[in-house]
Amino acid sequence: MGGPPDGSPSGGAALRVRGLVKRYGPRTAVDGMDLDVTAGGVTALLGPNGAGKTTTVECCLGLRRPDGGSVRVLGREVAGAVPDADHRSAVGAMLQDGGLPTSARPLRLLRHLARLHAAPRDVDALAERLGVPAFAGTSVRRLSGGQRQRLALAAALVGRPRLLFLDEPTAGLDPAARLVVWELVREAVGEGAGVLLTTHDLDEAERLADHVVIVDGGRAIAAGAPGELVAGASASVRFTASPGLDLAPLRQALSEEVAVAEPSPGSYVVSGAVDPQVVAGVTSWCAQRGVMPQALSVGRPSLEEVFLDLTGRRLR
Ligand SMILES: Nc1ncnc2c1ncn2[C@@H]1O[C@H](COP(=O)(O)OP(=O)(O)OP(=O)(O)O)[C@@H](O)[C@H]1O
């Protein structure tokens, strides 16, 4: 099944962003961003710190006014517009700062939010799954970080939004809570919601997302299904050893169709037309020099390696 002619994923569009620009004074935080979320699909927005992910989400939610471009939420242009009640009730968001009233009590807050929606989820069942009863009477300001996040997810889901923004939903959650969050997201998607997921957890992106957008410098630098992004990268031999090995003899020993690099100290990658001869060439070069290659692997890179290759390994 092919996608629409503009290259976006197939299925109804829950969110369509084109050429989004947002500046903070002289700094351009978002610089011509394109992205799509389909109804019943999860798009993961991946990118290094400061890449412009949160700013993009905030523009989509109407929390920041874009300087350019178009944002269509559930078919309606919202860039620069004040969201109306219909629009607000169709969109759910779990943001990093929570945005929950600090003096509210969790269960009462969820019941209140449920009343604002036409067809809310069963509050008790949702609260139970996220373990809210254990801290139902504690005010939001006294909750632990993880409890606040679980409550924020419940608050985002309670109105059955058709488009859901999740900004690092499982960062700092314990493993059991992480699994529950993933389950709830999958269920919402199964009911037809579109999800824009911002995460630094590439395992989470691979598990949940059917579409991945890698962002750097405020724009999308790669997009596709996780499997496509990985398949598009060339096969490689990777190993770690002491840093600063002289790679010139290895380059000479291998065919010209492969590239040899040390992208970070002590981490070596041989990529290109990798075949059994290349693997043998690498291991015999190591043997000749008395180098023990650690964590030697051959094959397609993981999504994490694709991400690091595209965005670089240096902190900015
Ligand atoms: N309110 C603000 N005023 C000025 N600059 C800002 C503001 N918010 C963000 N920025 C800058 O805009 C750029 C993008 O920030 P943003 O928070 O969107 O990145 P991000 O991809 O969400 O990062 P992270 O992964 O760290 O959450 C950064 O350079 C940041 O310093």
Side-chain angles (χ1 to χ4, degrees), residues 128-153:
E128 183 70 39
R129 290 191 52 196
L130 284 161
V132 174
F135 52 85
T138 310
S139 65
V140 166
R141 82 163 61 80
R142 295 190 199 287
L143 297 179
S144 76
Q147 290 170 338
R148 203 172 297 172
Q149 259 172 288
R150 279 144 59 189
L151 178 62
L153 181 67

Side-chain angles (χ1 to χ4, degrees), residues 24 27 29 47-55 64 96 168 200:
Y24 296 111
R27 180 188 296 257
N49 293 137
K53 304 178 298 293
T54 300
T55 303
R64 294 201 185 275
Q96 277 181 48
E168 299 186 35
H200 289 294

Side-chain angles (χ1 to χ4, degrees), residues 22-25 27-30 46-58 64 96 167-168 198-200 215 218:
K22 175 66 192 171
R23 296 186 199 94
Y24 296 111
R27 180 188 296 257
T28 303
V30 177
L46 310 179
N49 293 137
K53 304 178 298 293
T54 300
T55 303
T56 298
V57 167
E58 289 172 346
R64 294 201 185 275
Q96 277 181 48
D167 199 0
E168 299 186 35
T198 306
T199 184
H200 289 294
V215 178

